[in-house]
């Protein structure tokens, strides 16, 4: 299989890129070349800014692909560009949308691909919905061979999955837990959440590539496991060998008392209980199964982060805000 990824070195796409290379597929990456060193040898690079449409068109003029996947498209105009670039050049175009696009709050606890797409709280999600609508139009009217993939909270070894954190990532929260400081958990910590390790996500994604039954379809890829936020934070504390000191604060209060986008990331996403029905991805990819349990994945990620200094990105501004908001709330 000959594939082209726009991006290819992010949290989700890195695992997919590695799996394709290991399986001997021909993989091309269009990116700026900033993080290509994290991939094993075997990928071929087209170093160009994807937003420079004219330059990209020149570089791929004599090329065609079995699959093109865009991991870094967030608004419809970027997909309009992709359509112009790749119509007639690929047998399948995969767009990475988001499970946050599903109805918030949900009218049913079990989320399927038929769950309405509606998120009045998060512009990011609304843009993803608009992207999907554009691609479906191109599929119906122009026979553009699309597949839409909706990840939920997918993580890798470089960042511990958490709910309330600053703009620089989750390490500062891990540091607070390790130092015995109080830590903010949104709500009462009992809502259900699904975290999926990128190595598991890659199994489902690669199974959709070149899959004739995936054309024209939208499908989410997540773990079947649901855990509470209390379980996630307790797992971190236990692996650090310390007592967790949670402070429970409502998402609404956090949103109204910060400059962080908690309306989107919490009210529009993480404060809602989510349980995914994965029967569709299993029907399309019969051998798909997630094998990385949440507690196992969190432990592996913690071990990696704590042994790699480059992953320990401190966020003193967020740390100060936590202290202030906890004091004010209490």
């Amino acid at each position: 299989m000959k594939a082209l990824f726009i991006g290819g070195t992010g949290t989700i796409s890195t695992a997919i890129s590695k799996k394709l290379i290991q399986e001997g597929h021909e993989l091309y990456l269009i990116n700026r070349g900033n993080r290509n060193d994290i991939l094993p040898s075997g990928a071929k690079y087209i170093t160009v800014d994807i937003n420079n449409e004219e330059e990209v068109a020149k570089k791929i003029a004599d090329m065609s692909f079995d699959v093109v996947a865009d991991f870094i498209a967030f608004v419809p105009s970027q997909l309009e560009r992709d359509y112009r670039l790749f119509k007639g050049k690929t047998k399948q175009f995969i767009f990475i949308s988001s499970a946050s696009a599903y109805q918030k709050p949900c009218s049913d606890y079990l989320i399927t691909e038929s769950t309405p797409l509606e998120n009045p709280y998060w512009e990011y999600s609304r843009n993803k919905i608009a992207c999907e609508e554009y691609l479906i139009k191109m599929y119906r009217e122009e026979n553009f061979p699309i597949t839409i993939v909706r990840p939920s909270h997918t993580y890798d070894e470089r960042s511990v999955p958490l709910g309330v954190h600053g703009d620089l990532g989750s390490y500062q929260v891990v540091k607070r837990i390790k130092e015995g400081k109080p830590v903010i958990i949104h709500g009462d910590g009992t809502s259900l959440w699904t975290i999926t390790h990128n190595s598991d996500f890659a199994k489902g994604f690669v199974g959709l590539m070149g899959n004739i039954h995936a054309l024209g379809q939208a499908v989410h890829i997540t773990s079947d496991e649901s855990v509470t936020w209390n379980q996630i934070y307790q797992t971190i504390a236990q692996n650090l060998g310390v007592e967790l000191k949670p402070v429970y604060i409502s998402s609404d209060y956090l949103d109204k008392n910060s400059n962080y986008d908690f309306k989107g990331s919490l009210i529009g996403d993480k404060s809602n209980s989510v349980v995914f029905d994965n029967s569709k991805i299993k029907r399309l990819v019969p051998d798909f199964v997630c094998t990385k349990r949440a507690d196992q994945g969190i432990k592996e990620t913690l071990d990696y982060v704590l042994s790699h200094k480059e992953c320990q990105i401190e966020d003193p501004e967020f740390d100060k805000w936590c202290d202030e908001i906890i004091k004010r709330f209490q």
Side-chain angles (χ1 to χ4, degrees):
M1 181 164 53
K2 183 180 180 181
L4 171 68
F5 286 175
I6 303 168
T9 58
T11 297
I12 289 175
S13 55
T14 294
I16 302 168
S17 296
K18 289 179 178 179
K19 185 172 178 61
L20 286 175
I21 293 170
Q22 290 165 358
E23 293 182 0
H25 297 288
E26 188 177 2
L27 176 62
Y28 291 80
L29 302 180
I30 287 183
N31 59 36
R32 297 177 182 177
N34 296 330
R35 298 187 68 244
N36 290 341
D37 59 327
I38 69 173
L39 296 178
S41 61
K44 302 174 183 178
Y45 303 104
I46 303 173
T47 305
V48 64
D49 184 347
I50 186 62
N51 296 306
N52 189 338
E53 185 176 341
E54 184 177 351
E55 187 64 24
V56 174
K58 290 179 182 177
K59 288 182 177 288
I60 64 169
D62 299 323
M63 304 176 74
S64 61
F65 306 92
D66 296 308
V67 180
V68 172
D70 194 335
F71 292 89
I72 54 175
F74 301 99
V75 294
S77 61
Q78 294 170 319
L79 291 172
E80 292 169 7
R81 172 207 64 209
D82 289 349
Y83 174 74
R84 291 190 296 268
L85 285 169
F86 299 110
K87 183 185 180 183
K89 284 184 168 291
T90 184
K91 298 173 185 176
Q92 182 186 31
F93 179 87
I94 302 179
F95 167 60
I96 290 71
S97 184
S98 171
S100 69
Y102 287 124
Q103 185 182 57
K104 299 294 184 302
C106 294
S107 57
D108 190 286
Y109 84 98
L110 188 62
I111 297 175
T112 73
E113 285 80 1
S114 297
T115 298
L117 303 183
E118 176 195 10
N119 193 328
Y121 305 104
W122 205 0
E123 184 180 14
Y124 165 82
S125 304
R126 293 194 297 274
N127 285 336
K128 289 288 190 178
I129 294 170
C131 287
E132 289 197 26
E133 290 173 344
Y134 169 76
L135 287 178
I136 291 169
K137 182 175 185 292
M138 291 300 99
Y139 172 72
R140 290 172 176 168
E141 297 180 2
E142 304 295 335
N143 200 30
F144 191 47
I146 67 161
T147 298
I148 295 168
V149 175
R150 298 170 184 151
S152 185
H153 193 161
T154 308
Y155 69 105
D156 64 4
E157 72 280 3
R158 295 171 293 183
S159 180
V160 180
L162 285 170
V164 180
H165 58 76
D167 295 332
L168 300 182
S170 62
Y171 175 72
Q172 190 65 48
V173 181
V174 173
K175 188 171 184 287
R176 288 182 68 90
I177 296 174
K178 188 177 181 181
E179 294 174 348
K181 299 179 72 173
V183 176
I184 297 170
I185 299 179
H186 59 280
D188 62 2
T190 62
S191 60
L192 295 174
W193 192 242
T194 299
I195 59 174
T196 307
H197 197 271
N198 67 347
S199 60
D200 281 332
F201 182 91
K203 302 173 192 174
F205 192 93
V206 171
L208 293 176
M209 295 177 66
N211 187 331
I212 59 173
H213 302 293
L215 297 179
Q217 298 291 330
V219 57
H220 53 240
I221 303 174
T222 80
S223 170
D224 288 323
E225 180 186 23
S226 294
V227 291
T228 67
W229 286 104
N230 283 332
Q231 288 174 317
I232 291 173
Y233 281 79
Q234 284 288 358
T235 298
I236 295 169
Q238 288 169 5
N239 279 285
L240 293 173
V242 299
E243 177 189 357
L244 180 67
K245 297 179 180 178
V247 177
Y248 297 105
I249 304 179
S250 74
S251 298
D252 187 61
Y253 186 92
L254 292 172
D255 172 53
K256 291 178 179 178
N257 290 276
S258 82
N259 294 321
Y260 299 102
D261 184 19
F262 291 137
K263 181 179 289 293
S265 67
L266 294 181
I267 300 172
D269 196 24
K270 295 180 178 68
S271 67
N272 298 269
S273 280
V274 294
V275 179
F276 291 96
D277 178 345
N278 283 298
S279 56
K280 187 171 184 178
I281 181 64
K282 292 176 181 178
R283 186 170 66 251
L284 292 169
V285 186
D287 60 351
F288 171 71
V289 61
C290 289
T291 56
K292 187 80 71 178
R293 214 170 56 215
D295 59 329
Q296 296 170 333
I298 289 171
K299 181 183 186 307
E300 291 177 12
T301 300
L302 271 173
D303 290 344
Y304 186 93
V305 168
L306 295 177
S307 62
H308 288 74
K309 194 68 177 177
E310 68 275 13
C311 297
Q312 300 170 23
I313 302 172
E314 298 193 19
D315 190 346
E317 183 177 335
F318 175 75
D319 196 51
K320 180 181 178 183
W321 174 82
C322 286
D323 290 335
E324 292 174 350
I325 204 74
I326 289 170
K327 182 179 180 181
R328 189 188 317 168
F329 182 77
Q330 291 178 332

